[in-house]
């Protein structure tokens, strides 16, 4: 019984993730906040080996795709680290949220 | 240190020499407002400014391997004195001139003269090498107009 409990505890401990916030930025928020758009880019990093940060660059294209004829304003950019498995594996995640505003209302 | 430990340390050292030079560390990302209207005159622009950074801890560790005990103590003293003047939050390693990022707006103006810059992605990152590093500020954006 005790062994099973310890095993389950270890599994739960290792699979659970701790998130920490690295940076946040926010641009001017528009009056028209009806349509929200969101894009997310992430990368799993093992043993801290990361060779480039190019995954971040597609966020703008994702936001543009969701708002094809307007302006994305009030952009909140959140950069966070999520630690897995004794911090040997972690995920770097950048989230960008904003409001799609019609061309005339900008 | 026995022979097995020596082999392991040499193995780790050789791996780190090949792997560490290409490590990229992300410090900060920010995205500005994006003008997503379809515009034929919109074109992507990119700017990168960088400065040489030095990891004083790694530098002193490397220097200690090549020097005698007295010099090692002097290196420790110098490192402690330097650390007294290095306070506050930082990203990446120390650089000799902190003004390298100030020219980013000017470079943006040069890349997009008379046009409007939108969809700015600002990335602050470090390229890590043994002892040294490249402290980088990268800007990706779209220029609408000329």
């Amino acid at each position: 019984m005790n062994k099973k409990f310890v095993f389950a505890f270890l599994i739960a401990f290792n699979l659970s993730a701790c998130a920490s916030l690295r940076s946040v930025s926010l641009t001017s928020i528009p009056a028209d906040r009806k349509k929200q758009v969101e894009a997310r880019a992430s990368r799993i990093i093992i043993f801290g080996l990361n060779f480039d940060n190019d995954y971040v660059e597609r966020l703008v294209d994702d936001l543009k795709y969701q708002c094809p004829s307007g302006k994305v304003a009030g952009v909140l950019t959140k950069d966070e680290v999520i630690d897995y498995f004794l911090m040997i594996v972690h995920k770097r995640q950048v989230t960008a949220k904003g409001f799609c505003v019609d061309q005339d209302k900008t | 240190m026995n022979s097995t430990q020596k082999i392991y340390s040499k193995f780790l050292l050789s791996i780190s020499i090949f792997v560490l030079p290409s490590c990229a560390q992300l410090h900060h990302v920010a995205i500005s407002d994006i003008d997503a209207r379809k515009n034929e005159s919109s074109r992507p622009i990119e700017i990168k400014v960088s400065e040489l950074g030095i990891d004083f801890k790694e530098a002193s560790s490397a220097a200690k391997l090549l020097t005698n005990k007295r010099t090692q103590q002097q290196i420790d003293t110098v490192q402690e004195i330097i650390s007294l003047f290095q306070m506050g939050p930082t990203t990446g390693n120390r650089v000799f001139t902190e003004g390298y990022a100030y020219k980013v707006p000017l470079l943006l103006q040069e890349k997009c003269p008379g046009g409007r810059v939108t969809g700015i992605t600002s990335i602050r990152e470090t390229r890590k090498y043994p002892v040294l590093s490249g402290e980088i500020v990268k800007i990706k954006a779209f220029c609408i107009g000329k």
Side-chain angles (χ1 to χ4, degrees):
Chain A
M1 180 66 187
N2 272 344
K3 279 183 183 175
K4 280 182 183 174
F5 176 76
V6 170
F7 183 72
F9 176 78
L10 284 174
I11 292 285
F13 179 76
N14 285 330
L15 291 180
S16 60
C18 290
S20 59
L21 194 61
R22 298 295 298 257
S23 71
V24 174
S25 72
L26 181 66
T27 64
S28 306
I29 299 168
D32 180 10
R33 301 169 208 160
K34 285 175 193 160
K35 189 183 175 189
Q36 196 172 38
V37 288
E38 181 177 343
R40 192 170 286 171
S42 63
R43 176 170 285 174
I44 300 282
I45 297 168
I46 302 166
F47 287 117
L49 299 174
N50 179 39
F51 303 107
D52 62 67
N53 296 311
D54 295 346
Y55 64 98
V56 174
E57 291 165 12
R58 65 181 170 85
L59 283 171
V60 171
D61 289 332
D62 280 1
L63 289 175
K64 278 176 88 172
Y65 180 75
Q66 292 174 55
C67 183
S69 58
K71 181 182 176 183
V72 182
V75 181
L76 172 80
T77 317
K78 188 172 68 173
D79 175 17
E80 58 193 329
V81 177
I82 301 158
D83 286 310
Y84 299 102
F85 193 65
L86 303 173
M87 300 184 186
I88 294 167
V89 179
H90 73 270
K91 182 163 80 171
R92 199 68 194 259
Q93 183 169 279
V94 182
T95 310
K97 279 183 188 176
F99 300 99
C100 179
V101 185
D102 285 342
Q103 185 181 340
D104 302 333
K105 293 178 182 174
T106 56
Chain B
M1 192 183 280
N2 61 35
S3 60
T4 316
Q5 284 175 323
K6 277 181 183 174
I7 291 166
Y8 274 123
S9 62
K10 279 181 183 174
F11 176 70
L12 283 175
L13 183 69
S14 56
I15 282 192
S16 61
I17 285 168
F18 286 105
V19 171
L20 285 179
S22 53
C23 273
Q25 190 183 1
L26 184 67
H27 295 296
H28 180 80
V29 185
I31 296 171
S32 77
D33 288 353
I34 304 158
D35 190 343
R37 287 172 289 178
K38 283 190 172 58
N39 197 320
E40 285 179 4
S41 61
S42 172
R43 61 186 167 86
I45 53 174
E46 184 177 339
I47 286 165
K48 195 191 266 187
V49 291
S50 65
E51 185 61 48
L52 181 73
I54 293 178
D55 188 332
F56 285 106
K57 278 186 182 172
E58 279 186 18
S60 65
S61 301
K64 278 178 190 174
L65 291 173
L66 307 169
T67 52
N68 58 30
K69 201 173 181 183
R70 194 180 166 206
T71 316
Q72 286 172 7
Q73 285 173 343
Q74 289 172 337
I75 290 167
D76 281 336
T77 311
V78 170
Q79 197 186 340
E80 281 165 14
I81 291 168
I82 289 171
S83 63
L84 284 173
F85 295 93
Q86 308 282 321
M87 287 185 286
T90 56
T91 54
N93 289 332
R94 313 289 183 221
V95 292
F96 290 108
T97 56
E98 82 287 359
Y100 69 100
Y102 293 153
K103 58 188 174 189
V104 166
L106 278 173
L107 291 169
L108 273 175
Q109 285 177 34
E110 280 176 18
K111 287 259 183 180
C112 185
R116 192 154 49 89
V117 182
T118 182
I120 303 170
T121 307
S122 320
I123 298 167
R124 166 75 183 94
E125 65 181 352
T126 294
R127 286 274 170 182
K128 186 85 185 78
Y129 304 93
V131 182
L132 304 173
S133 65
E135 303 301 330
I136 300 166
V137 176
K138 193 162 74 174
I139 309 287
K140 284 207 156 197
F142 291 89
C143 172
I144 297 174
K146 292 173 187 174

